[in-house]
Amino acid sequence: AYRDLCCAANSADGNAGDSNTKVLAVPSAVALCLQVVSDLVLAADDEINGGSKYVPDVKSAEYSASAVAYMLPAILQAGDPPRKSIQSEKACGEIATMLTQYANLAGTSSAGKESALRAAEEIKAGSGSAPPPLGVFYEAGAQ
């Protein structure tokens, strides 16, 4: 349902002004979506020490990755005044890598792959100008 709300809000965006997904892209919601995808990626990789203690189903990870992709206009919206942050640049790189790893997992649907790869590309492209809150989303999800 959350993915569908994000999709509807994103579809209603116009050419000017704030993204309609801004009200949905609160740090806790974005962090939760990133955590669901991260847990699946960690669970799929047996070589990581400790892995993840939670193993979401593939569909939950797909919906979470799609929700993040739909919220990107709000997530990557430059702050006022625009600032660069090393924390945000690092978070962008790690989130893009995680989404790419998710897209390459066996069993990921074509829609899930498409959403994750599109989001990873947009995040990589916006990493130099990404707002500091992206680092907050990432840090909240990493804990």
Side-chain angles (χ1 to χ4, degrees):
Y2 192 73
R3 178 207 56 180
D4 295 339
L5 283 172
C6 293
C7 176
N10 182 284
S11 296
D13 279 351
N15 291 336
D18 286 343
S19 171
N20 291 318
T21 59
K22 190 172 186 175
V23 297
L24 298 169
V26 295
S28 58
V30 175
L32 179 60
C33 289
L34 293 173
Q35 186 67 50
V36 169
V37 176
S38 176
D39 284 347
L40 184 67
V41 169
L42 290 174
D45 189 352
D46 293 334
E47 295 178 8
I48 294 181
N49 292 332
S52 173
K53 57 184 173 182
Y54 304 107
V55 183
D57 62 284
V58 176
K59 213 51 164 167
S60 294
E62 176 184 334
Y63 293 154
S64 294
S66 295
V68 168
Y70 288 128
M71 290 187 287
L72 282 178
I75 294 170
L76 295 177
Q77 186 174 18
D80 189 25
R83 311 174 276 184
K84 287 190 176 187
S85 163
I86 293 172
Q87 180 186 16
S88 287
E89 286 188 33
K90 180 181 176 191
C92 284
E94 291 182 15
I95 291 169
T97 298
M98 177 194 56
L99 289 169
T100 302
Q101 288 174 329
Y102 161 71
N104 293 326
L105 289 178
T108 302
S109 71
S110 58
K113 285 181 186 186
E114 182 181 325
S115 290
L117 291 174
R118 181 172 39 94
E121 286 303 314
E122 285 184 43
I123 290 169
K124 283 181 200 172
S127 68
S129 61
L134 187 58
V136 173
F137 298 140
Y138 177 72
E139 289 300 320
Q143 294 177 2

